């Protein structure tokens, strides 16, 4: 699972040692609380960010490791900056630009919640191996079919990428260089050949699994049961976020 392992940062911190199902449920619960927070509560988002910083410190995840992987958020950032420009409704002047007030609120809402969501996902991926994430999903009763699809996607994505690289090298060794739309048919034929090879590989893998007794469920290689203390430790993050939300509602 090379793709997932590039996100994982080995370590022996208390966060690393938590069972994956505890961390998955904690991340999901934190995301729900964070999304339910009104966008006007700037102080609440600041507290959420502080909680995630505390988790990163306990897990000994360097800030640079997190920041480098937050590049995935860039499309959302660009979209958020565009909303105030094209938004409708009341306008206001910001640095000489006429911006939509509802658009500014929408942009802040997207930026704040997307950034926190990406950060907590990075913390999960940095402290949990990909296979353990899938085992944790099984423990949380996620449908087996979805878990198996995700497992094979992670396992064979690098294989498909290597196949693409070999096909590109083969084309370039024959003098091919894609420069304009006239070369699109060649790229399309390569994509078709890659699909056929991937499909045939999937059939061979499925037949190999059937010959080894596969009956629709993957065996559990090791037990990852969690104690009440581990559940309490993992759920401390979403419970603290929930306390912030309830405090804001009570004020």
């Amino acid at each position: 699972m090379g793709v997932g392992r590039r996100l994982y940062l080995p370590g022996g911190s208390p966060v690393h040692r938590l069972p994956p199902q505890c961390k998955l449920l904690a991340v999901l619960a934190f995301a729900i609380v964070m999304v339910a927070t009104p966008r006007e509560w700037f102080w609440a988002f600041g507290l959420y960010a502080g909680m995630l910083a505390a988790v990163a410190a306990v897990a000994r995840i360097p800030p640079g490791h997190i920041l480098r992987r937050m590049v995935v958020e860039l499309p959302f950032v660009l979209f958020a900056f565009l909303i105030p420009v094209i938004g409708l409704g009341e306008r206001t002047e910001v640095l000489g630009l006429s911006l939509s007030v509802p658009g500014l609120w929408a942009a802040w809402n997207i930026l704040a919640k997307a950034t926190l969501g990406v950060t907590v996902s990075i913390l999960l991926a940095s402290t949990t191996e990909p296979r353990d994430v899938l085992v944790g999903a099984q423990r949380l009763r996620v449908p087996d079919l979805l878990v198996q699809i995700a497992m094979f996607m992670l396992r064979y994505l690098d294989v498909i990428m290597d196949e693409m690289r070999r096909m590109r090298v083969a084309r370039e060794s024959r003098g091919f260089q894609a420069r304009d739309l006239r070369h699109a048919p060649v790229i399309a034929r390569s994509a078709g050949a890659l699909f056929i090879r991937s499909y045939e590989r999937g059939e061979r893998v499925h037949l190999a699994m059937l010959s080894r007794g596969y009956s629709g469920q993957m065996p559990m290689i090791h037990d990852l049961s969690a104690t009440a203390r581990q559940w309490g430790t993992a759920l401390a993050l979403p419970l603290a976020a929930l306390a912030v939300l309830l405090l804001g509602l009570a004020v």
Side-chain angles (χ1 to χ4, degrees), residues 44-119:
F45 292 107
L47 290 176
Y48 296 157
M51 294 174 193
L52 295 183
V55 172
V58 172
R60 294 190 282 276
I61 305 296
H65 177 86
I66 298 175
L67 292 175
R68 285 192 300 271
R69 282 151 182 79
M70 289 185 69
V71 177
V72 70
E73 189 190 4
L74 187 58
F76 298 96
V77 174
L78 296 176
F79 177 70
F81 278 114
L82 187 62
I83 293 177
V85 178
I86 64 176
L88 302 176
E90 181 185 352
R91 313 293 291 188
T92 186
E93 291 286 334
V94 178
L95 298 177
L97 296 175
S98 177
L99 302 178
S100 166
V101 173
L104 287 171
W105 278 113
W108 155 252
N109 194 44
I110 292 173
L111 282 175
K113 295 181 179 179
T115 300
L116 291 173
V118 169
T119 302

Side-chain angles (χ1 to χ4, degrees), residues 184-208:
V186 177
I187 303 299
R189 285 193 290 271
S190 298
L194 179 64
F195 173 78
I196 292 173
R197 293 181 185 182
S198 302
Y199 188 84
E200 290 176 344
R201 178 178 284 108
E203 287 185 325
R204 292 195 299 271
V205 170
H206 184 244
L207 289 174

Side-chain angles (χ1 to χ4, degrees), residues 171-194:
R171 290 195 305 269
E172 293 177 353
S173 66
R174 291 165 174 80
F176 175 81
Q177 290 289 339
R179 296 187 180 91
D180 51 49
L181 288 177
R182 291 177 299 174
H183 298 110
V186 177
I187 303 299
R189 285 193 290 271
S190 298
L194 179 64

Side-chain angles (χ1 to χ4, degrees), residues 7-20:
L7 299 175
Y8 177 67
L9 191 64
S13 71
V15 181
H16 283 80
R17 293 195 297 269
L18 286 174

